[in-house]
Amino acid sequence: MVRHMSMDDVNQSPSEPRDDGAYTLDRKDISAILYAVEIEDKAKLTQLMDPLHAADIADLLEQINAFDRSRLIRLYDRDFDGEILSELDDSIREEVIAVLTPQVLAEAVRDLDSDDVVDLVEDLDEPQQEAILDALEDVDRAAVEQSLSYPEFSAGRLMQREVVMAPEHWNVGEAIDHLRNAKEDDLPDQFYHIVVVDPRLHPVGNVTLGKLMRSRREVKLTDIIEDVFQVIPVDQDEGDVAYAFNQYHLISAPVVDSEGRLIGIITIDDAMAVLDEEHEEDILRLAGVGEGSLSDRVIDTTKRRMPWLAVNLATSIAASMVIAQFEAAITQIVALAVLMPIVASMGGNAGTQSLTVAVRAIATKDLTGANVWRVIRREVMVGLVNGLIFAVVMGIVGVVWFGSPALGYVIAAAMVVNMVVAGLAGTVIPVILERVGVDPALASGAFVTTVTDVVGFFAFLGLAAMVLL
Amino acid sequence: MVRHMSMDDVNQSPSEPRDDGAYTLDRKDISAILYAVEIEDKAKLTQLMDPLHAADIADLLEQINAFDRSRLIRLYDRDFDGEILSELDDSIREEVIAVLTPQVLAEAVRDLDSDDVVDLVEDLDEPQQEAILDALEDVDRAAVEQSLSYPEFSAGRLMQREVVMAPEHWNVGEAIDHLRNAKEDDLPDQFYHIVVVDPRLHPVGNVTLGKLMRSRREVKLTDIIEDVFQVIPVDQDEGDVAYAFNQYHLISAPVVDSEGRLIGIITIDDAMAVLDEEHEEDILRLAGVGEGSLSDRVIDTTKRRMPWLAVNLATSIAASMVIAQFEAAITQIVALAVLMPIVASMGGNAGTQSLTVAVRAIATKDLTGANVWRVIRREVMVGLVNGLIFAVVMGIVGVVWFGSPALGYVIAAAMVVNMVVAGLAGTVIPVILERVGVDPALASGAFVTTVTDVVGFFAFLGLAAMVLL
């Protein structure tokens, strides 16, 4: 079970290190919770759920079935925390909100920071969104609606509006006094830097709280600002924001409007969550799986996967048409039908290797105009060398299996051709897609395997028809 | 060009928001730098490189060729910063270290924090490792060697040893005085929390600097510790560390030894870098690409990709052997050879979809013992529904193309069978691999496509042999 120490635990025994590396809820914990739900033992349920972090409760809700989920939520009732909603998958979140009573929902969201509310409501249906916005106080509601006015997936949606700032002429003492006298509500829940701004509200640097505390009161803030400082435009794509945090090891970064004025701040935990989502998107898109979660309905998942399967059907029919051109050859030498999938499959695999490396390198900005030709040349060389090696192996297999050296040469030659083409297509296609503004993770796979299937069948069957007939 | 504000810039104009979202070095910048190298204009080079962040200089070095790289480093000389080394890919790092003069190298590493030095040296060859350790002062060298004694990819390698801690009986005033009086060397470069410990040095909670500054001097530290608190065992896998940071939105977490005593601290920026690496590993492993970078030599990349291609060759030969059982049928009805790759390919794609979802869900701990049966059932249902849809489509294609309703039924039936099997294999195989301790990202692909190839060919050709002959 995940250890989550609350204030009350502090004077008890300190948290022991866990003996395994896993953070999953174990089955016993889940069974105990479900049993408490079964016998409707509210006290027991509360006792079991209290030590859990909201993120773990969200995971628990995602992993049990819909019936248990609604019973659990009804029994848990007023203890239901807004943060659990923030942590839930979209599809489950909608279901949970529908189960919560209006009072519980209102109470749950009122405790959240404005950026969490934004994250919570942005994917909800209109009526559910309204229900939550109505539960907020006017000033919070205005802040949330302001954030929602920025484009989806932009820095504006990620930032929190509560910023700790100080004018550049202040010294350490003035900044400390300001912090100590500020009202609780005017400060973010957690903050690590003070943003120093000029008279036009343009950020000029960050001062860490550690440095602030350790400096004498008369030191000027501008004398202790951090070396590394990155300003984020409010309309910047969240993927680029995450990249900047990872690349420059930022902890927080000020967000500015189109005039360069400070309007919010993004912290690294939000950037980390975005990085995680972007990766999820890449990995699923490469496999032709749309977004979604394990808890989605079968029909939704089926619909999301269909387009990619339809594309694959079209491309494999195209490859079959190539085969159909060589029906006469296959009728004469049936070994061709036996061996042809090997050539196509090896090309497909080699192509997927090059493609994945290229897509990943584009995402991490390691594949750029400066090195694209070198990378293409390298992938083609890798394809050539591996092609030659496996050509020899397959040539031998062809001879041993079918007793025909000529068949061995043909399959070997086709293998080299297809693997060189695989290296080329696997790199060039994602680069071109990226240039024309299509996400290479989404579309490259279909193109590359079409190329390797068509070239594989054509090279093998075509060479066979020329050499063997 | 990436904006990186140094102290000297502060009194000049504040940084303007950049007009695009990209953080790549643009080609013009790279050209200007290479031109300065070409004409050996040291002053110009320094002027161009100075505003760049170490991470961007590292990217620049990775993207230019080896000849330019060594010329640039020689000209840049004493300005070469240790952080650039930290940011470089392993293969390029070794090359760069070999080019640096011993004095420049020594000076470069002496400025680094101990955890950065660990990160820097852990993948180096013995002689290069020695050269760097020799450059360190004795106390730093001891700290680095201590860290290197922890297993690779463990929390011990990630943590920094400089920790700000306070006994649990202290109040705010005592903590502040302690911080103000501490020597610069005894504190980490950046810190955001004070770790409160009991007399046995067991961590009991974090106090944020923000809360510390805003509290009255007589408040007890234990009264203002954070709600969320996670202790990391020193031998925990770094992937689990990254998961904990992402799951619980941690900013920093204390690391404890086997007795639960505080021995270091991990901060979120390091956890974010690990999360990024883990994702890279997953995405590359799913595609059968070993680790490595775009700047590796052709021969190294070829070697790394060969094992996966060899596995694929073996599995596609196995699939061919299935085809060989039906040579007689293919000789009579050559349309079978034309259509059979379609069934296998659709199964392979559907299997890869299920597999990718399962691998990702295992990595994010969303697929657990509690919901594994539900997920398997769901994937099979998705396979069945998509199978039925594409069976109808392919049945029609079969009839239209080859004019044979019976051929249409056969391909339709084989399609349904293979896509159901794909959903099943795509989920069950990664789950089993994970249970037996094999990384599902690494090995699932080969198993799943073998299953869908074999089942696809067998179902289609077998049914055809029964029905059509």
Side-chain angles (χ1 to χ4, degrees):
Chain A
M1 200 167 87
V2 171
R3 293 218 152 228
H4 165 231
M5 180 164 280
S6 74
M7 307 272 264
D8 321 45
D9 297 326
V10 167
N11 297 318
Q12 299 162 21
S13 78
S15 122
E16 297 294 326
R18 293 135 33 76
D19 49 1
D20 64 354
Y23 285 92
T24 39
L25 290 160
D26 69 34
R27 271 183 112 147
K28 269 211 313 244
D29 299 324
I30 298 182
S31 301
I33 288 171
L34 289 182
Y35 181 70
V37 171
E38 183 70 43
I39 60 169
E40 299 192 17
D41 185 342
K42 161 95 178 154
K44 183 78 193 160
L45 179 68
T46 307
Q47 181 208 328
L48 287 165
M49 302 270 280
D50 251 9
L52 297 180
H53 188 281
D56 290 323
I57 296 180
D59 284 349
L60 167 71
L61 290 173
E62 285 163 12
Q63 285 172 28
I64 63 181
N65 65 41
F67 179 66
D68 287 338
R69 194 149 54 223
S70 93
R71 287 200 302 178
L72 190 158
I73 292 164
R74 290 218 181 84
L75 188 61
Y76 200 45
D77 198 41
R78 270 160 205 294
D79 293 334
F80 197 92
D81 196 85
E83 270 178 59
I84 304 171
L85 284 180
S86 299
E87 302 284 350
L88 280 173
D89 271 344
D90 293 348
S91 61
I92 299 280
R93 185 188 290 167
E94 287 178 24
E95 186 198 306
V96 169
I97 289 177
V99 174
L100 290 172
T101 62
Q103 304 95 294
V104 174
L105 180 63
E107 222 165 288
V109 296
R110 226 171 278 147
D111 293 339
L112 291 174
D113 275 352
S114 70
D115 58 329
D116 289 329
V117 179
V118 172
D119 185 43
L120 183 64
V121 302
E122 61 185 356
D123 297 317
L124 292 179
D125 296 339
E126 194 74 34
Q128 290 199 328
Q129 206 173 78
E130 270 308 307
I132 287 182
L133 290 178
D134 285 345
L136 298 176
E137 286 166 38
D138 284 351
V139 49
D140 292 335
R141 180 181 178 132
V144 170
E145 282 174 340
Q146 167 77 54
S147 288
L148 287 173
S149 73
Y150 296 113
E152 234 186 314
F153 311 120
S154 71
R157 291 276 181 111
L158 276 186
M159 70 182 185
Q160 57 189 58
R161 308 181 67 78
E162 302 89 350
V163 188
V164 185
M165 56 172 120
E168 56 186 338
H169 58 79
W170 273 13
N171 62 27
V172 168
E174 286 168 302
I176 289 179
D177 293 343
H178 168 72
L179 281 180
R180 295 185 67 91
N181 298 330
K183 268 184 297 189
E184 194 71 50
D185 284 354
D186 295 342
L187 294 177
D189 267 7
Q190 298 209 336
F191 61 101
Y192 309 97
H193 294 108
I194 294 181
V195 184
V196 181
V197 294
D198 73 8
R200 292 177 303 161
L201 273 185
H202 291 199
V204 297
N206 278 330
V207 171
T208 67
L209 294 187
K211 209 159 241 164
L212 191 69
M213 289 184 77
R214 291 181 39 75
S215 301
R216 280 167 296 112
R217 287 184 63 91
E218 63 275 18
V219 171
K220 283 198 68 171
L221 289 183
T222 46
D223 289 338
I224 54 169
I225 64 178
E226 292 295 292
D227 283 359
V228 178
F229 180 57
Q230 196 76 40
V231 171
I232 312 267
V234 68
D235 57 356
Q236 187 169 79
D237 180 76
E238 61 174 19
D240 286 321
V241 174
Y243 176 83
F245 272 83
N246 196 26
Q247 172 88 343
Y248 305 119
H249 309 285
L250 308 175
I251 297 296
S252 73
V255 178
V256 295
D257 64 14
S258 55
E259 262 96 62
R261 284 181 307 236
L262 180 64
I263 53 170
I265 202 159
I266 295 176
T267 49
I268 186 174
D269 54 324
D270 295 319
M272 189 175 187
V274 171
L275 189 78
D276 196 44
E277 282 160 27
E278 296 267 315
H279 280 297
E280 167 130 2
E281 207 178 88
D282 274 356
I283 210 166
L284 294 181
R285 283 183 170 184
L286 273 172
V289 189
E291 259 131 291
S293 81
L294 287 184
S295 28
D296 289 351
R297 288 178 309 156
V298 167
I299 189 68
D300 295 327
T301 305
T302 306
K303 269 197 225 151
R304 261 201 316 272
R305 295 197 194 162
M306 251 178 54
W308 182 259
L309 291 170
V311 169
N312 183 62
L313 184 64
T315 69
S316 53
I317 288 176
S320 289
M321 286 176 172
V322 174
I323 302 174
Q325 305 308 308
F326 298 96
E327 283 188 357
I330 293 172
T331 315
Q332 286 181 53
I333 311 171
V334 74
L336 298 182
V338 174
L339 292 174
M340 67 182 186
I342 299 178
V343 179
S345 163
M346 290 297 281
N349 262 269
T352 304
Q353 290 180 333
S354 296
L355 159 71
T356 306
V357 169
V359 166
R360 170 75 193 167
I362 289 171
T364 57
K365 302 185 200 291
D366 288 330
L367 177 55
T368 65
N371 62 351
V372 63
W373 290 109
R374 197 143 16 89
V375 170
I376 291 172
R377 211 162 52 225
R378 208 183 66 106
E379 289 295 320
V380 169
M381 281 301 297
V382 170
L384 180 64
V385 177
N386 266 326
L388 288 170
I389 292 166
F390 288 102
V392 172
V393 176
M394 261 322 286
I396 294 170
V397 170
V399 173
V400 171
W401 192 353
F402 293 95
S404 157
L407 190 59
Y409 300 146
V410 166
I411 196 166
M415 187 81 91
V416 174
V417 169
N418 206 21
M419 287 181 70
V420 168
V421 169
L424 187 67
T427 318
V428 171
I429 289 174
V431 168
I432 291 176
L433 287 174
E434 209 258 335
R435 293 274 161 92
V436 299
V438 176
D439 180 355
L442 188 60
S444 299
F447 286 107
V448 172
T449 50
T450 305
V451 169
T452 54
D453 275 359
V454 167
V455 170
F457 291 134
F458 190 81
F460 178 58
L461 297 174
L463 276 171
M466 285 197 310
V467 174
L468 303 175
L469 295 186
Chain B
M1 201 167 84
V2 170
R3 290 216 154 232
H4 165 230
M5 180 165 281
S6 73
M7 307 276 262
D8 320 47
D9 297 327
V10 167
N11 296 317
Q12 297 163 22
S13 78
S15 119
E16 297 293 328
R18 294 134 31 77
D19 49 2
D20 64 354
Y23 285 92
T24 39
L25 291 159
D26 71 34
R27 272 184 110 145
K28 268 209 316 240
D29 299 323
I30 298 182
S31 301
I33 288 170
L34 290 182
Y35 180 71
V37 171
E38 184 70 44
I39 61 169
E40 299 192 17
D41 184 342
K42 161 94 178 155
K44 183 77 192 161
L45 179 68
T46 306
Q47 181 208 328
L48 287 166
M49 302 268 282
D50 251 10
L52 297 182
H53 188 281
D56 290 323
I57 295 179
D59 283 349
L60 167 72
L61 289 173
E62 285 163 13
Q63 285 171 30
I64 61 181
N65 66 41
F67 178 67
D68 286 338
R69 197 151 49 223
S70 92
R71 288 200 302 178
L72 189 157
I73 292 164
R74 291 219 179 85
L75 188 62
Y76 200 43
D77 199 40
R78 273 163 200 293
D79 293 335
F80 197 93
D81 195 85
E83 270 179 58
I84 303 171
L85 283 180
S86 300
E87 303 283 350
L88 279 174
D89 271 343
D90 293 347
S91 60
I92 298 279
R93 185 187 290 167
E94 287 177 25
E95 186 197 308
V96 169
I97 290 176
V99 173
L100 290 172
T101 62
Q103 305 95 294
V104 173
L105 180 62
E107 220 165 289
V109 295
R110 226 172 279 148
D111 293 339
L112 291 175
D113 276 352
S114 71
D115 58 329
D116 288 330
V117 178
V118 170
D119 185 43
L120 182 63
V121 301
E122 60 185 355
D123 297 318
L124 292 179
D125 296 339
E126 195 73 35
Q128 289 199 329
Q129 207 174 75
E130 270 309 308
I132 286 182
L133 290 178
D134 285 346
L136 298 176
E137 284 166 40
D138 285 351
V139 49
D140 292 336
R141 182 182 175 128
V144 170
E145 283 173 342
Q146 167 77 54
S147 288
L148 287 174
S149 73
Y150 296 112
E152 235 187 314
F153 310 120
S154 71
R157 292 277 182 110
L158 276 186
M159 71 183 185
Q160 55 189 59
R161 308 182 64 80
E162 304 89 348
V163 188
V164 184
M165 57 171 118
E168 57 186 340
H169 58 80
W170 273 13
N171 61 27
V172 167
E174 286 168 302
I176 290 178
D177 292 343
H178 168 73
L179 282 180
R180 295 185 68 92
N181 298 330
K183 269 184 297 189
E184 193 73 47
D185 284 355
D186 295 342
L187 294 177
D189 266 8
Q190 297 209 338
F191 61 100
Y192 308 98
H193 294 111
I194 294 180
V195 183
V196 181
V197 293
D198 72 10
R200 293 177 302 162
L201 272 185
H202 291 199
V204 297
N206 277 331
V207 172
T208 67
L209 294 187
K211 209 159 243 164
L212 191 70
M213 290 184 76
R214 290 180 40 74
S215 300
R216 280 166 298 112
R217 287 185 62 92
E218 63 275 18
V219 171
K220 284 198 66 172
L221 290 184
T222 47
D223 289 338
I224 54 169
I225 64 177
E226 292 296 290
D227 284 358
V228 178
F229 179 57
Q230 196 76 42
V231 172
I232 311 265
V234 67
D235 57 356
Q236 186 169 78
D237 179 76
E238 61 173 19
D240 286 322
V241 174
Y243 177 83
F245 271 84
N246 196 25
Q247 173 87 344
Y248 306 119
H249 309 286
L250 308 175
I251 297 296
S252 72
V255 178
V256 295
D257 65 14
S258 56
E259 262 94 64
R261 283 181 307 236
L262 180 65
I263 54 171
I265 202 160
I266 295 176
T267 49
I268 185 174
D269 53 325
D270 295 318
M272 190 176 187
V274 170
L275 189 78
D276 196 42
E277 283 161 26
E278 295 268 313
H279 279 296
E280 168 130 1
E281 209 179 87
D282 273 356
I283 212 165
L284 294 181
R285 284 184 169 183
L286 273 173
V289 188
E291 259 130 292
S293 81
L294 287 184
S295 29
D296 289 350
R297 289 178 309 158
V298 168
I299 188 69
D300 295 328
T301 304
T302 306
K303 270 198 226 151
R304 262 200 314 274
R305 294 197 194 163
M306 249 176 56
W308 182 256
L309 292 171
V311 169
N312 184 60
L313 184 64
T315 69
S316 52
I317 289 176
S320 289
M321 286 176 171
V322 173
I323 302 174
Q325 305 310 307
F326 298 96
E327 285 190 355
I330 293 172
T331 316
Q332 286 182 52
I333 311 171
V334 73
L336 298 182
V338 174
L339 292 174
M340 67 183 186
I342 298 178
V343 178
S345 162
M346 290 297 281
N349 262 268
T352 303
Q353 290 180 332
S354 296
L355 158 70
T356 306
V357 169
V359 166
R360 170 75 193 168
I362 289 170
T364 56
K365 302 185 201 290
D366 288 330
L367 178 54
T368 65
N371 62 351
V372 63
W373 290 110
R374 197 144 15 91
V375 170
I376 290 172
R377 211 162 51 224
R378 207 182 67 105
E379 289 295 321
V380 169
M381 282 301 298
V382 170
L384 180 64
V385 177
N386 266 327
L388 287 170
I389 292 166
F390 288 103
V392 171
V393 176
M394 262 323 287
I396 294 170
V397 169
V399 173
V400 171
W401 192 352
F402 294 96
S404 156
L407 189 59
Y409 299 147
V410 166
I411 196 166
M415 187 82 91
V416 175
V417 169
N418 205 22
M419 287 182 69
V420 168
V421 168
L424 186 66
T427 317
V428 170
I429 288 173
V431 168
I432 291 175
L433 287 173
E434 210 259 335
R435 293 273 160 94
V436 299
V438 177
D439 180 355
L442 188 61
S444 300
F447 286 108
V448 171
T449 49
T450 306
V451 170
T452 54
D453 275 0
V454 166
V455 170
F457 291 134
F458 190 82
F460 178 57
L461 297 174
L463 276 172
M466 285 199 307
V467 174
L468 302 176
L469 294 185

PDB file of all heavy atoms in Angstrom, chain B residues 346-361:
ATOM      1  N   MET B 346      -3.491  -7.687 -41.006  1.00  0.00           N
ATOM      2  CA  MET B 346      -4.540  -7.106 -40.155  1.00  0.00           C
ATOM      3  C   MET B 346      -4.406  -7.629 -38.718  1.00  0.00           C
ATOM      4  O   MET B 346      -4.560  -6.883 -37.756  1.00  0.00           O
ATOM      5  CB  MET B 346      -5.923  -7.446 -40.708  1.00  0.00           C
ATOM      6  CG  MET B 346      -6.262  -6.731 -42.003  1.00  0.00           C
ATOM      7  SD  MET B 346      -6.323  -4.936 -41.828  1.00  0.00           S
ATOM      8  CE  MET B 346      -7.943  -4.736 -41.079  1.00  0.00           C
ATOM      9  N   GLY B 347      -4.120  -8.913 -38.599  1.00  0.00           N
ATOM     10  CA  GLY B 347      -3.916  -9.473 -37.261  1.00  0.00           C
ATOM     11  C   GLY B 347      -2.716  -8.838 -36.577  1.00  0.00           C
ATOM     12  O   GLY B 347      -2.762  -8.492 -35.393  1.00  0.00           O
ATOM     13  N   GLY B 348      -1.645  -8.669 -37.341  1.00  0.00           N
ATOM     14  CA  GLY B 348      -0.438  -8.074 -36.768  1.00  0.00           C
ATOM     15  C   GLY B 348      -0.695  -6.657 -36.284  1.00  0.00           C
ATOM     16  O   GLY B 348      -0.252  -6.257 -35.198  1.00  0.00           O
ATOM     17  N   ASN B 349      -1.440  -5.904 -37.063  1.00  0.00           N
ATOM     18  CA  ASN B 349      -1.752  -4.529 -36.653  1.00  0.00           C
ATOM     19  C   ASN B 349      -2.647  -4.478 -35.435  1.00  0.00           C
ATOM     20  O   ASN B 349      -2.400  -3.720 -34.500  1.00  0.00           O
ATOM     21  CB  ASN B 349      -2.423  -3.788 -37.802  1.00  0.00           C
ATOM     22  CG  ASN B 349      -1.443  -2.947 -38.559  1.00  0.00           C
ATOM     23  OD1 ASN B 349      -1.262  -1.787 -38.252  1.00  0.00           O
ATOM     24  ND2 ASN B 349      -0.761  -3.551 -39.513  1.00  0.00           N
ATOM     25  N   ALA B 350      -3.703  -5.288 -35.440  1.00  0.00           N
ATOM     26  CA  ALA B 350      -4.610  -5.314 -34.288  1.00  0.00           C
ATOM     27  C   ALA B 350      -3.852  -5.773 -33.045  1.00  0.00           C
ATOM     28  O   ALA B 350      -4.041  -5.230 -31.952  1.00  0.00           O
ATOM     29  CB  ALA B 350      -5.791  -6.228 -34.580  1.00  0.00           C
ATOM     30  N   GLY B 351      -2.968  -6.762 -33.226  1.00  0.00           N
ATOM     31  CA  GLY B 351      -2.177  -7.254 -32.095  1.00  0.00           C
ATOM     32  C   GLY B 351      -1.253  -6.180 -31.550  1.00  0.00           C
ATOM     33  O   GLY B 351      -1.104  -6.017 -30.334  1.00  0.00           O
ATOM     34  N   THR B 352      -0.641  -5.414 -32.455  1.00  0.00           N
ATOM     35  CA  THR B 352       0.254  -4.346 -32.019  1.00  0.00           C
ATOM     36  C   THR B 352      -0.511  -3.263 -31.268  1.00  0.00           C
ATOM     37  O   THR B 352      -0.007  -2.690 -30.297  1.00  0.00           O
ATOM     38  CB  THR B 352       0.979  -3.732 -33.237  1.00  0.00           C
ATOM     39  OG1 THR B 352       1.665  -4.779 -33.917  1.00  0.00           O
ATOM     40  CG2 THR B 352       1.967  -2.671 -32.818  1.00  0.00           C
ATOM     41  N   GLN B 353      -1.730  -2.999 -31.711  1.00  0.00           N
ATOM     42  CA  GLN B 353      -2.548  -2.017 -30.988  1.00  0.00           C
ATOM     43  C   GLN B 353      -2.800  -2.477 -29.552  1.00  0.00           C
ATOM     44  O   GLN B 353      -2.531  -1.747 -28.592  1.00  0.00           O
ATOM     45  CB  GLN B 353      -3.888  -1.822 -31.714  1.00  0.00           C
ATOM     46  CG  GLN B 353      -3.770  -1.099 -33.038  1.00  0.00           C
ATOM     47  CD  GLN B 353      -5.118  -0.913 -33.733  1.00  0.00           C
ATOM     48  OE1 GLN B 353      -6.039  -1.708 -33.553  1.00  0.00           O
ATOM     49  NE2 GLN B 353      -5.235   0.137 -34.534  1.00  0.00           N
ATOM     50  N   SER B 354      -3.287  -3.706 -29.399  1.00  0.00           N
ATOM     51  CA  SER B 354      -3.569  -4.220 -28.051  1.00  0.00           C
ATOM     52  C   SER B 354      -2.302  -4.255 -27.207  1.00  0.00           C
ATOM     53  O   SER B 354      -2.293  -3.874 -26.036  1.00  0.00           O
ATOM     54  CB  SER B 354      -4.139  -5.640 -28.127  1.00  0.00           C
ATOM     55  OG  SER B 354      -5.369  -5.641 -28.790  1.00  0.00           O
ATOM     56  N   LEU B 355      -1.242  -4.716 -27.839  1.00  0.00           N
ATOM     57  CA  LEU B 355       0.043  -4.847 -27.157  1.00  0.00           C
ATOM     58  C   LEU B 355       0.563  -3.508 -26.653  1.00  0.00           C
ATOM     59  O   LEU B 355       1.023  -3.390 -25.514  1.00  0.00           O
ATOM     60  CB  LEU B 355       1.026  -5.432 -28.179  1.00  0.00           C
ATOM     61  CG  LEU B 355       2.505  -5.243 -27.975  1.00  0.00           C
ATOM     62  CD1 LEU B 355       2.947  -6.074 -26.797  1.00  0.00           C
ATOM     63  CD2 LEU B 355       3.271  -5.674 -29.219  1.00  0.00           C
ATOM     64  N   THR B 356       0.484  -2.495 -27.485  1.00  0.00           N
ATOM     65  CA  THR B 356       1.007  -1.185 -27.089  1.00  0.00           C
ATOM     66  C   THR B 356       0.206  -0.618 -25.923  1.00  0.00           C
ATOM     67  O   THR B 356       0.775  -0.078 -24.968  1.00  0.00           O
ATOM     68  CB  THR B 356       0.968  -0.209 -28.283  1.00  0.00           C
ATOM     69  OG1 THR B 356       1.654  -0.813 -29.369  1.00  0.00           O
ATOM     70  CG2 THR B 356       1.617   1.103 -27.930  1.00  0.00           C
ATOM     71  N   VAL B 357      -1.116  -0.764 -26.006  1.00  0.00           N
ATOM     72  CA  VAL B 357      -1.955  -0.297 -24.903  1.00  0.00           C
ATOM     73  C   VAL B 357      -1.594  -1.042 -23.613  1.00  0.00           C
ATOM     74  O   VAL B 357      -1.456  -0.438 -22.553  1.00  0.00           O
ATOM     75  CB  VAL B 357      -3.449  -0.491 -25.250  1.00  0.00           C
ATOM     76  CG1 VAL B 357      -4.323  -0.261 -24.030  1.00  0.00           C
ATOM     77  CG2 VAL B 357      -3.848   0.456 -26.377  1.00  0.00           C
ATOM     78  N   ALA B 358      -1.396  -2.353 -23.732  1.00  0.00           N
ATOM     79  CA  ALA B 358      -1.083  -3.148 -22.540  1.00  0.00           C
ATOM     80  C   ALA B 358       0.288  -2.781 -21.970  1.00  0.00           C
ATOM     81  O   ALA B 358       0.444  -2.614 -20.756  1.00  0.00           O
ATOM     82  CB  ALA B 358      -1.135  -4.640 -22.871  1.00  0.00           C
ATOM     83  N   VAL B 359       1.287  -2.638 -22.845  1.00  0.00           N
ATOM     84  CA  VAL B 359       2.640  -2.307 -22.371  1.00  0.00           C
ATOM     85  C   VAL B 359       2.644  -0.958 -21.665  1.00  0.00           C
ATOM     86  O   VAL B 359       3.221  -0.791 -20.592  1.00  0.00           O
ATOM     87  CB  VAL B 359       3.647  -2.301 -23.551  1.00  0.00           C
ATOM     88  CG1 VAL B 359       4.956  -1.639 -23.154  1.00  0.00           C
ATOM     89  CG2 VAL B 359       3.901  -3.719 -24.028  1.00  0.00           C
ATOM     90  N   ARG B 360       1.970  -0.004 -22.273  1.00  0.00           N
ATOM     91  CA  ARG B 360       1.902   1.327 -21.686  1.00  0.00           C
ATOM     92  C   ARG B 360       1.148   1.282 -20.343  1.00  0.00           C
ATOM     93  O   ARG B 360       1.555   1.901 -19.365  1.00  0.00           O
ATOM     94  CB  ARG B 360       1.213   2.259 -22.681  1.00  0.00           C
ATOM     95  CG  ARG B 360       0.844   3.616 -22.176  1.00  0.00           C
ATOM     96  CD  ARG B 360       2.022   4.540 -22.029  1.00  0.00           C
ATOM     97  NE  ARG B 360       1.606   5.695 -21.246  1.00  0.00           N
ATOM     98  CZ  ARG B 360       2.401   6.596 -20.723  1.00  0.00           C
ATOM     99  NH1 ARG B 360       3.696   6.507 -20.894  1.00  0.00           N
ATOM    100  NH2 ARG B 360       1.952   7.597 -20.026  1.00  0.00           N
ATOM    101  N   ALA B 361       0.055   0.544 -20.298  1.00  0.00           N
ATOM    102  CA  ALA B 361      -0.728   0.468 -19.063  1.00  0.00           C
ATOM    103  C   ALA B 361       0.056  -0.230 -17.956  1.00  0.00           C
ATOM    104  O   ALA B 361      -0.059   0.123 -16.786  1.00  0.00           O
ATOM    105  CB  ALA B 361      -2.049  -0.255 -19.315  1.00  0.00           C
TER     106      ALA B 361
END
